Amino acid sequence: MTKEEITGRLFELQDTKYRDFQAKLIPNIAADSVIGVRTPALKAFAKELHKAASSDEKAALAVSDFLSSLPHKYFDQNQLHAFLINEEKDFEKCISQVEAFLPYVDNWATCDQASTKAFQKHKNELLPYIFRWIKSEHTYTVRFAIGKLMQLFLDEDFKPEYLEMVAAVHSEEYYINMMIAWYFATALAKQYEATLPYIEKNRLEKWTHNKAIQKAIESYRITDEQKAYLRTLKIK
């Protein structure tokens, strides 16, 4: 299989109704860049390719060529790229692939799909990259960094300074501010006492502040008493 055949396979998996639906969810990318492959099919294809590449030299070369062919033309190629990275268990290889890919990520869906399993066992090694990514001028690199802090560092690896790091991000970009709101809503659910002062002291921009409260109130992990108090903190 070649990188061209990989793309050809994506078209074989095309669902035109899903394509039309998906294109509406990502308004910042061209509609004709969406092939329309459903997420379960993309994940299965990524697993198939990764498995083949681990035992077959030609498959490994095809996957390597595909990952190196940036920027991709199609949204679904970006999605497949993200899912291939997710399959990589070696931290050094994974971080190298992420670093190469992030500058070309152009939408929230691809950004958020990169769950990167290898990071979960290498959190300390990951932190310096997060600290650098969050200061990037690229929208989805910043969003990715905040997403990793939300996914990996709000439980036993939480430190209060991570809240400060996210609160210090100021942007006009909707997709960054939405992730900041999502982060603080999740932080309220998991680290309520440490997070609450950021809401009480209006540390976030008005829209982000109110969106964080809205999302927190929608969470089943926030108590009714906490929700009632959070409602009083909305900025009018």
Side-chain angles (χ1 to χ4, degrees):
M1 179 177 285
T2 65
K3 64 180 181 181
E4 289 79 15
E5 289 172 328
I6 290 175
T7 300
R9 178 76 175 276
L10 292 176
F11 277 95
E12 291 175 6
L13 295 169
Q14 183 181 54
D15 181 327
T16 55
K17 289 185 178 179
Y18 181 71
R19 175 197 62 197
D20 297 341
F21 167 76
Q22 185 76 21
K24 293 177 182 178
L25 296 179
I26 316 167
N28 66 303
I29 65 172
D32 61 4
S33 72
V34 180
I35 297 173
V37 184
R38 290 182 178 272
T39 299
L42 280 169
K43 288 183 176 180
F45 188 28
K47 288 181 180 295
E48 176 189 328
L49 287 171
H50 183 75
K51 183 178 180 180
S54 66
S55 59
D56 182 85
E57 187 175 342
K58 288 185 178 180
L61 180 59
V63 170
S64 178
D65 284 349
F66 174 79
L67 293 175
S68 300
S69 300
L70 293 166
H72 295 304
K73 180 178 180 180
Y74 296 104
F75 163 75
D76 307 68
Q77 290 174 314
N78 281 325
Q79 292 289 85
L80 179 63
H81 194 130
F83 292 135
L84 281 168
I85 290 176
N86 290 352
E87 292 299 315
E88 180 55 63
K89 296 179 181 178
D90 181 272
F91 177 76
E92 294 301 330
K93 289 182 180 178
C94 183
I95 201 72
S96 177
Q97 291 174 358
V98 168
E99 291 259 81
F101 186 44
L102 277 178
Y104 298 97
V105 174
D106 62 358
N107 68 89
W108 66 267
T110 301
C111 179
D112 297 355
Q113 293 284 16
S115 62
T116 47
K117 298 173 186 176
F119 290 174
Q120 296 174 6
K121 295 183 179 180
H122 297 272
K123 294 179 183 179
N124 288 335
E125 298 97 314
L126 177 63
L127 278 171
Y129 293 95
I130 291 177
F131 297 160
R132 175 159 53 80
W133 293 335
I134 205 168
K135 296 178 181 179
S136 172
E137 295 184 358
H138 180 239
T139 295
Y140 297 101
T141 299
V142 177
R143 182 180 171 100
F144 184 77
I146 298 171
K148 292 303 119 184
L149 284 174
M150 180 178 71
Q151 294 162 10
L152 301 174
F153 296 94
L154 279 178
D155 295 299
E156 65 273 11
D157 296 293
F158 170 75
K159 291 183 180 179
E161 53 260 41
Y162 301 153
L163 293 166
E164 185 63 35
M165 187 184 307
V166 178
V169 176
H170 296 286
S171 175
E172 299 296 322
E173 293 287 344
Y174 170 83
Y175 291 105
I176 290 178
N177 290 329
M178 180 59 84
M179 181 56 81
I180 294 172
W182 188 6
Y183 172 86
F184 272 92
T186 306
L188 283 166
K190 293 189 171 186
Q191 304 289 343
Y192 183 79
E193 296 300 329
T195 307
L196 185 60
Y198 286 84
I199 305 300
E200 291 178 322
K201 297 177 182 179
N202 298 340
R203 289 291 310 281
L204 307 178
E205 300 292 337
K206 177 181 177 180
W207 184 90
T208 310
H209 172 102
N210 287 337
K211 182 61 70 173
I213 291 175
Q214 175 194 323
K215 293 178 76 68
I217 289 172
E218 293 170 355
S219 172
Y220 67 88
R221 294 176 294 184
I222 301 286
T223 68
D224 290 342
E225 182 180 0
Q226 290 169 340
K227 290 178 182 180
Y229 180 54
L230 287 171
R231 288 188 180 94
T232 71
L233 299 177
K234 286 188 175 181
I235 301 175
K236 298 180 178 178

